[in-house]
């Protein structure tokens, strides 16, 4: 089959909403775009363990500690699902991880901000996981089968994470004046950084055209950001928190909460490696990778040994 026919068959499948599976033919650009996006997503899950992991030893009680431990472990699991899904496109996990460790690959800007107080853990669960759900609910319907199926499972878990975070903040808001201040301060520091998670404005998003054409994205960066603001403002006001945006106002015609401009200079500085914690995060991932070398060696040796036995058994049976 020639290139033109293959391309047109691929486009027809996309138009009909048929999922693309790993062994199906796909344009190289589709493979590349998905590998880029999925690997960045997997890296985000893994780097995302760091700001919250920072509070496991300081959680205020056993119940909070257990929930936080489980959440951080879930993020590791999400990283694994998405690396596995990304590998089906032909790049090995080792290669993808190397791109992260050498600083070549991006991961979500939000994880380059520090978690300074316990309230930050509540805010991360509520806002960051909340934003991730908005984005990933869309991706669960994307055209690439392995990615969309991974998203379905991840979204179910993220919902628990969001509730866990919001409950921490609700508890603080029912507490002392200091606790309420702590929650407001965490919201002030994380609000704008969370809005940046959705990426640049649509007019400055170079990848969106391809991703829309191939039904990887079904809603734009700005549409998802607006949806997130609309649901989150109500949740903040219900518990007495103020959104740190003097331009925030409700438009009763469009039924949207209109909001001020994001500091895009800050966004681009963070994604270029100059955020408050970029160096620290990369160092922590490199240290973890180096310290885990013996585990990888041992498991490869074990797998080889087992494979050898299976091979012997197979040969004996044969
Ligand atoms: N941070 O053309 P654009 C989670 C980059 S949740 C860093 O609009 P695209 C978690 C972008 O990569 C977070 N970089 O890109 C939650 C591109 O650069 P390259 C992870 C960003 O792909 C709780 C350039 O800017 N979620 O893991 O159309 C706990 C131009 O942007 C960011 C995902 O990754 C950013 N915020 O749209 C633990 C979801 N925004 O690659 C963990 C999957 C943009 O051309 N990804 N850039 O050099 C997506 O949905 C899309 O990739 C994005 C960006 C909406 C993020």
């Amino acid at each position: 089959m020639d290139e033109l026919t293959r391309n047109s068959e691929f486009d027809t499948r996309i138009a009909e909403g048929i999922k693309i599976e790993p062994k199906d033919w796909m344009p190289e650009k589709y493979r590349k775009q998905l590998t880029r996006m999925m690997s960045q997503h997997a890296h985000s899950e893994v780097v995302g363990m760091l700001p919250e992991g920072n509070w496991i030893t300081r959680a205020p009680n056993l119940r909070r500690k257990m929930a936080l431990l489980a959440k951080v472990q879930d993020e590791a699991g999400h990283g694994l699902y998405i690396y596995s899904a990304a590998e089906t496109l032909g790049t090995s996990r080792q290669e993808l991880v190397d791109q992260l460790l050498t600083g070549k690959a991006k991961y979500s800007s939000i994880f380059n901000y520090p978690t300074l107080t316990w309230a930050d853990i509540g805010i991360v669960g509520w806002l960051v996981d909340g934003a991730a759900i908005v984005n990933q609910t869309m991706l669960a319907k994307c055209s690439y089968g392995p990615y969309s199926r991974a998203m379905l499972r991840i979204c179910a878990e993220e919902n628990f994470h969001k509730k866990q975070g919001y409950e921490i903040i609700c508890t603080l808001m029912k507490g002392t004046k200091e606790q309420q201040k702590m929650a407001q301060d965490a919201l002030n520091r994380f609000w704008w950084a969370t809005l940046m998670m959705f990426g640049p404005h649509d007019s400055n998003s170079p990848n969106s055209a391809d991703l829309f054409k191939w039904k990887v994205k079904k809603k734009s960066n700005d549409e998802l950001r607006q949806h997130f603001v609309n649901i989150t403002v109500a949740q903040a006001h219900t518990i007495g928190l103020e959104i740190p945006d003097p331009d925030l106002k409700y438009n009763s015609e469009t039924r949207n909460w209109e909001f001020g401009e994001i500091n895009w200079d800050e966004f681009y500085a963070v994604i270029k490696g100059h955020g408050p914690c970029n160096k620290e995060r990369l160092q922590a991932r490199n240290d973890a990778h180096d310290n885990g070398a013996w585990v990888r060696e041992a498991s490869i040796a074990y797998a080889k040994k087992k494979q050898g036995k299976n091979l012997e058994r197979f040969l004996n049976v044969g």
Side-chain angles (χ1 to χ4, degrees), residues 250-289:
Y250 188 67
N251 181 330
S252 52
E253 265 175 43
T254 60
R255 295 170 141 197
N256 284 326
W257 280 96
E258 291 170 356
F259 52 96
E261 194 53 90
I262 288 169
N263 181 343
W264 294 110
D265 290 341
E266 178 181 325
F267 169 77
Y268 286 109
V270 173
I271 69 171
K272 282 182 189 144
H274 310 299
C277 298
N278 294 60
K279 285 200 181 76
E280 187 183 326
R281 300 296 185 232
L282 261 197
Q283 189 60 51
R285 281 314 313 153
N286 272 287
D287 290 348
H289 192 75

Side-chain angles (χ1 to χ4, degrees), residues 36 40 75 106 109 135 196 199 205-207 217 221 271:
R36 175 193 68 83
Q40 285 179 6
E75 306 302 353
K106 291 193 173 75
S109 49
N135 172 267
M196 292 174 195
S205 165
N207 298 296
K217 274 185 180 178
N221 297 0
I271 69 171

Side-chain angles (χ1 to χ4, degrees), residues 41 45 78 81 129 131-141 147-162:
H41 192 167
E45 299 283 354
H78 298 173
Y81 306 152
D129 287 81
I133 293 167
V134 167
N135 172 267
Q136 291 169 182
T137 306
M138 166 193 75
L139 293 175
K141 297 184 196 118
Y147 197 25
S148 76
R149 290 188 287 274
M151 287 301 107
L152 278 179
R153 182 152 175 193
I154 290 175
C155 280
E157 293 177 356
E158 300 286 29
N159 267 306
F160 157 74
H161 297 166
K162 178 182 171 181

